[in-house]
Amino acid sequence: MEYRLLGRTGVSVSPLCLGSMMFGEWGNKDESASIRIIHAALDAGINFIDTADIYSYGESEQIVGKALRGRREDVFLATKFFIPMKEAPNYRGGSRRWIMRAVEDSLRRLQTDHLDLYQVHRPSADTDVAETLGALSDLVHQGKVRYIGSSSYSASQIVEAQWVSRDRHLERFVTEQPPYSILVRGIEEDILPTTQRYGMGTLTYSPLSGGWLSGRWRKGANAQPTATVRPSARFDMTSPDNQRKLDIVEQLAQLADEYDLTLIELAIAFVINHPGVTSAIVGPRTIEQLEAYLPAADIKLPAELLDRIDELVKPGVTINPDDNSYGDHDLQPRLRRR
């Protein structure tokens, strides 16, 4: 497996990052099976694991911590905070109060004395970014965190955070984690150019677009969203946008066959072939799914194939606008013209 530099950190990571959202109650409830998947990924050359405190409400971190006993130093370990861990107030967000509590909880569950990358899971309109960056900077100075990053930030939010870090002499976000796939190409318009301009690593999630590019969602198939996917317009098959997605998936499957690739290999290789992408986060629930993802790490897509993909989905375009909206960048009533 060919490793890549993570932005300007000097750290080398694998082009596939093992996402752990499916380990625990939300996905694979067999802890020993999840640990085997993690070990298989490490044995295959993946040295990058991404998790979050919210995944199965801490269970995912616990599983990762158990799996890394004796192998921790070989892994670049990332986790995230922000999403509510309890119904009570102040167990969420980007405040100093919560960050200092959340990091200790994650360190305990992961059975480690430091995190290689600590990420803000979502941006917040209610918290000064300087508050968040200040707390994270203190964690870096304490040695509990090596690097800090953001997730699902808009381009303007990325720029604001970089400027605040510069002007206030705080640690800066060295990574951004946005959604990206053949069907969801919105980040090509401004997110990727922005992260490249600031020398950030880009860790993209959902390269299979929530299962649309895994073969799960095909014409005539009676697939249903997994338990972790809330019913939404993203999976409304009466939607003209989703019908168009089904048509495109059929054409992509034929294109993959022409080049002796699986649809999964084509989809993941497309993501990591972008020069602005460091790693694609893949989240297997079974060992078979991991094995289907691994070959993509070594696939170089020829220019003519990329051109044909561009004909199906134009650069910078997201087929269904609902796929670009994860509830974080929607214009709230107070921000709307009306």
Side-chain angles (χ1 to χ4, degrees):
M1 192 172 291
E2 204 171 291
Y3 296 90
R4 302 171 172 191
L5 288 172
L6 183 68
R8 296 177 185 157
T9 64
V11 174
S12 294
V13 294
S14 48
L16 298 185
C17 173
L18 182 66
S20 68
M21 190 173 74
M22 289 290 99
F23 302 152
E25 183 67 26
W26 288 8
N28 191 332
K29 300 178 183 179
D30 184 336
E31 181 179 286
S32 60
S34 295
I35 291 174
R36 285 195 296 272
I37 293 170
I38 295 170
H39 288 168
L42 300 182
D43 292 341
I46 291 178
N47 72 341
F48 193 178
I49 296 179
D50 176 78
T51 185
D53 54 6
I54 192 61
Y55 297 162
S56 294
Y57 291 94
E59 186 183 1
S60 169
E61 287 185 328
Q62 291 175 338
I63 292 170
V64 170
K66 291 179 181 178
L68 293 185
R69 288 174 185 165
R71 305 185 73 165
R72 171 67 182 91
E73 292 308 311
D74 298 329
V75 173
F76 190 84
L77 180 59
T79 192
K80 299 182 287 293
F81 68 93
F82 186 86
I83 297 175
M85 291 293 285
K86 289 184 178 181
E87 290 296 327
N90 299 319
Y91 286 84
R92 68 193 71 193
S95 70
R96 172 179 289 272
R97 184 182 191 277
W98 175 237
I99 290 171
M100 294 305 183
R101 164 69 183 272
V103 73
E104 297 297 340
D105 291 344
S106 286
L107 289 171
R108 183 185 69 255
R109 287 189 290 258
L110 289 164
Q111 300 182 38
T112 185
D113 63 356
H114 73 279
L115 302 170
D116 294 299
L117 179 64
Y118 201 33
Q119 304 159 98
V120 188
H121 211 152
R122 292 291 186 268
S124 172
D126 302 319
T127 306
D128 189 338
V129 69
E131 163 93 359
T132 301
L133 287 168
L136 292 173
S137 295
D138 286 347
L139 293 180
V140 172
H141 300 155
Q142 293 168 15
K144 295 179 179 180
V145 171
R146 298 293 188 258
Y147 304 99
I148 61 175
S150 56
S151 176
S152 296
Y153 272 44
S154 68
S156 66
Q157 289 167 332
I158 293 171
V159 172
E160 179 188 12
Q162 293 291 321
W163 287 5
V164 169
S165 294
R166 179 196 63 193
D167 294 344
R168 303 200 184 189
H169 306 288
L170 299 171
E171 296 293 324
R172 75 183 189 96
F173 290 142
V174 301
T175 59
E176 162 61 16
Q177 188 179 132
Y180 184 45
S181 71
I182 295 176
L183 299 176
V184 182
R185 300 183 64 173
I187 69 168
E188 294 173 342
E189 185 173 3
D190 55 1
I191 303 292
L192 284 174
T194 301
T195 57
Q196 288 177 286
R197 186 162 65 249
Y198 284 98
M200 301 171 69
T202 305
L203 325 171
T204 61
Y205 65 88
S206 202
L208 299 180
S209 200
W212 282 89
L213 296 172
S214 69
R216 177 180 178 84
W217 305 92
R218 299 287 293 273
K219 284 194 168 183
N222 189 27
Q224 296 294 324
T226 61
T228 59
V229 177
R230 290 173 295 179
S232 71
R234 296 177 61 204
F235 299 95
D236 177 5
M237 291 307 166
T238 65
S239 160
D241 289 326
N242 284 340
Q243 285 298 311
R244 187 181 170 207
K245 280 164 62 175
L246 288 175
D247 290 335
I248 291 171
V249 168
E250 294 300 322
Q251 295 175 77
L252 288 171
Q254 294 173 18
L255 198 54
D257 286 341
E258 281 185 46
Y259 285 83
D260 198 26
L261 300 169
T262 66
L263 180 58
I264 287 173
E265 290 167 353
L266 175 68
I268 297 175
F270 170 85
V271 170
I272 60 177
N273 272 235
H274 192 291
V277 172
T278 308
S279 295
I281 300 172
V282 293
R285 186 172 48 82
T286 66
I287 195 75
E288 291 77 18
Q289 289 177 347
L290 173 66
E291 291 169 349
Y293 303 159
L294 288 172
D298 300 313
I299 295 173
K300 306 294 183 187
L301 300 183
E304 63 270 16
L305 175 52
L306 292 171
D307 289 342
R308 293 180 67 182
I309 292 173
D310 287 349
E311 291 173 4
L312 295 175
V313 183
K314 293 186 182 300
V317 169
T318 295
I319 301 301
N320 183 348
D322 289 302
D323 289 334
N324 258 346
S325 174
Y326 291 80
D328 307 298
H329 301 146
D330 293 344
L331 285 179
Q332 301 302 316
R334 62 186 174 84
L335 299 176
R336 294 178 190 162
R337 179 167 56 87
R338 58 185 183 277

